[in-house]
Amino acid sequence: MQHRPFRSIYANKRVLIATITVLFVATLVAVVAGNTGHKVKSASATVGGLGQLSGLLPRNHLTLESAIQVDLSQETVRLPLYKGEANGKTAWFILLDASDVGLAHDLGVNYAPKLANIAISCSACVQTVTLDSPTPAQNPFGQALVHFQGAPDFSPTRIAVPGPNGFPLARFQPGAVAGPGYSPFIQIAGSTVVYNAPIVATGDGPFDVVNHTNTGDRVLGIHIAPPTSPPGQYLESWVDMLFVKGFDAGQPILYLSTDAGQPLTAVLERSTYVPALDKAAYNGGDDFLGSARERLFGFVNGQTGANNPQAQGFVHLIRDGHASEDASAGNTALINALRNGGDLLNVFGDFPTLADPRHADAYSPLWDAQLGLWTDKAVKAGLNTRQIDENVVFNLAATRPDLLTGINPATGMPAPYGAARVDINCAVIGFTATAPTANLAAPVPNSQFPPR
């Protein structure tokens, strides 16, 4: 499988690292085109810093309360693993989000009301599953088996061959592809609630967590509990998943990428290619009527360099994040590169901890990517710096198209800034410094922020 959706679009020379500024405890003055002198609330100790880098993440930093632990030294989140069945074969899944607030809190997952809209014009975006009804003898305490219509095929080899500049890739192929009837978003027959429940492994083991022939490309470890627990106890299965670093409202965050609607996106995200998601309601919708999506901001040609505090984006991921290699717990070079900032470092829109309920409840795990392309002018002047806030990006795109434009994914050429027909299933896990509470800047007039 070979695709070339992006053409060469970058300047040949890289500029020196821009000096990172210090964000003081109370306020800072954001020097953003169109917002010079606009005072914003303090966020983390350092602008664009990644927060805590080692040890276990404190539980009060989680949005995904069901997470067993987040190991920042190993770049993994440990999640409860649930047993299902698809086409007569065992399928193992995780729970990340729910469209009902009560059930989300009960299960310890993220509340994502927008998921209720996901099947609009796309019935294949949600699969209906059924639950067993076990007898007391069969199940005195624990989950009921979930029957899926389809499952991913994890057997393909993930391919990500760097191009001359790293990105665009010279050749690529997703390492997991949805089988017929599969979507990570499910409804239990008889219920209207939508859950984000990606299948991350198939079969009864042993599980390949190095080359991922029967597991997702982010699965780094699996523990299956014994069939029966001791009297009065419940022994739980779990999975260790490689998480992703990013930013929201100026703060460093963690999330888990599991599925994407396009082959290239699935390769970059180490996720399952689910073609149906490309039609989920709806491209460019965000906070408008009937949309299941929230906006995410990626950057094609940000700065690079493993020790560069301004590095960000696709070229950076390929050059500095070991993106061509399989992810495994034993690949310490890859783990350490990502731990120190080798990820895409995308910027998220609304987040569950934002102070305004309008924005907290607008969170969705289905992200509608707006991809930024820095112009040659920006690159040569060293202005293609790390971005960490939605409104700042909006304002930059609205006031300085000479520095930041959108991109046409089919041609790789500059295009008006906006949704790029790229969608990704990414559930937030938590934050590594201070909880995101408010954006760093107010939207300028006529930016793409929805009118309110």
Side-chain angles (χ1 to χ4, degrees):
M1 174 184 275
Q2 184 168 338
H3 303 266
R4 302 179 185 272
F6 290 88
R7 306 198 190 282
S8 180
I9 49 179
Y10 317 109
N12 292 327
K13 295 182 179 179
R14 286 303 190 204
V15 297
L16 294 175
I17 298 171
T19 302
I20 192 165
T21 58
V22 175
L23 185 61
F24 294 100
V25 174
T27 60
L28 62 73
V29 176
V31 184
V32 179
N35 276 313
T36 302
H38 179 78
K39 289 186 177 181
V40 298
K41 295 182 179 179
S42 174
S44 56
T46 305
V47 176
L50 299 174
Q52 183 181 344
L53 292 178
S54 60
L56 298 182
L57 186 71
R59 294 207 62 83
N60 62 3
H61 283 40
L62 294 174
T63 62
L64 189 65
E65 295 177 353
S66 59
I68 298 168
Q69 69 176 33
V70 174
D71 189 334
L72 299 170
S73 300
Q74 300 301 320
E75 288 284 290
T76 56
V77 55
R78 179 168 294 177
L79 298 171
L81 186 63
Y82 302 103
K83 189 175 183 179
E85 175 275 330
N87 302 317
K89 187 176 183 179
T90 304
W92 300 93
F93 68 98
I94 54 179
L95 282 173
L96 302 172
D97 309 271
S99 64
D100 178 86
V101 63
L103 292 173
H105 289 318
D106 181 43
L107 294 168
V109 300
N110 299 308
Y111 173 46
K114 283 182 178 178
L115 288 183
N117 293 327
I118 195 169
I120 295 174
S121 302
C122 182
S123 59
C125 289
V126 179
Q127 64 165 316
T128 300
V129 303
T130 59
L131 278 174
D132 277 351
S133 182
T135 66
Q138 293 171 325
N139 185 19
F141 183 75
Q143 69 165 119
L145 190 71
V146 176
H147 298 272
F148 290 84
Q149 295 182 36
D153 177 6
F154 295 118
S155 65
T157 299
R158 177 181 175 272
I159 298 173
V161 178
N165 197 42
F167 187 87
L169 295 175
R171 188 165 64 94
F172 62 88
Q173 173 180 281
V177 179
Y182 177 73
S183 169
F185 299 104
I186 66 171
Q187 284 181 314
I188 300 171
S191 171
T192 60
V193 178
V194 177
Y195 300 91
N196 185 9
I199 292 174
V200 298
T202 53
D204 298 307
F207 295 101
D208 179 2
V209 294
V210 176
N211 302 119
H212 308 290
T213 54
N214 58 359
T215 64
D217 289 326
R218 289 188 174 273
V219 174
L220 303 192
I222 289 182
H223 166 76
I224 304 300
T228 58
S229 297
Q233 299 182 33
Y234 177 68
L235 302 182
E236 189 172 41
S237 299
W238 48 258
V239 60
D240 284 339
M241 304 282 293
L242 181 72
F243 58 66
V244 192
K245 287 185 167 78
F247 295 96
D248 191 286
Q251 290 294 339
I253 65 168
L254 306 176
Y255 62 96
L256 179 60
S257 184
T258 56
D259 310 272
Q262 308 77 33
L264 176 59
T265 313
V267 171
L268 296 175
E269 296 283 338
R270 299 183 184 272
S271 63
T272 299
Y273 171 40
V274 186
L277 297 186
D278 196 40
K279 300 178 177 64
Y282 53 89
N283 186 73
D286 191 54
D287 295 321
F288 291 92
L289 181 65
S291 177
R293 305 188 189 192
E294 179 55 41
R295 278 181 290 220
L296 172 151
F297 306 85
F299 300 88
V300 174
N301 57 335
Q303 293 186 27
T304 63
N307 298 311
N308 183 355
Q310 297 295 340
Q312 183 178 46
F314 292 9
V315 178
H316 168 58
L317 175 73
I318 304 302
R319 285 186 171 182
D320 307 319
H322 295 250
S324 63
E325 302 171 14
D326 285 333
S328 68
N331 189 343
T332 55
L334 181 148
I335 298 296
N336 288 329
L338 297 178
R339 188 166 68 87
N340 291 291
D343 259 322
L344 285 168
L345 303 178
N346 292 324
V347 177
F348 276 31
D350 292 325
F351 194 82
T353 65
L354 293 175
D356 185 346
R358 136 88 176 94
H359 294 290
D361 291 347
Y363 159 78
S364 171
L366 189 61
W367 298 92
D368 193 17
Q370 300 204 355
L371 302 181
L373 178 67
W374 295 103
T375 64
D376 286 347
K377 175 181 178 179
V379 172
K380 290 175 182 176
L383 298 177
N384 56 336
T385 54
R386 181 178 293 179
Q387 301 300 304
I388 59 175
D389 180 81
E390 174 184 31
N391 283 2
V392 172
V393 175
F394 276 145
N395 294 349
L396 185 61
T399 62
R400 296 300 304 269
D402 60 319
L403 300 179
L404 183 68
T405 72
I407 186 170
N408 183 331
T411 65
M413 300 302 294
Y417 196 84
R421 302 187 298 281
V422 171
D423 60 300
I424 318 159
N425 181 17
C426 299
V428 300
I429 298 169
F431 48 91
T432 58
T434 301
T437 56
N439 290 110
L440 299 185
V444 299
N446 301 317
S447 77
Q448 292 187 38
F449 194 84
R452 289 291 183 270

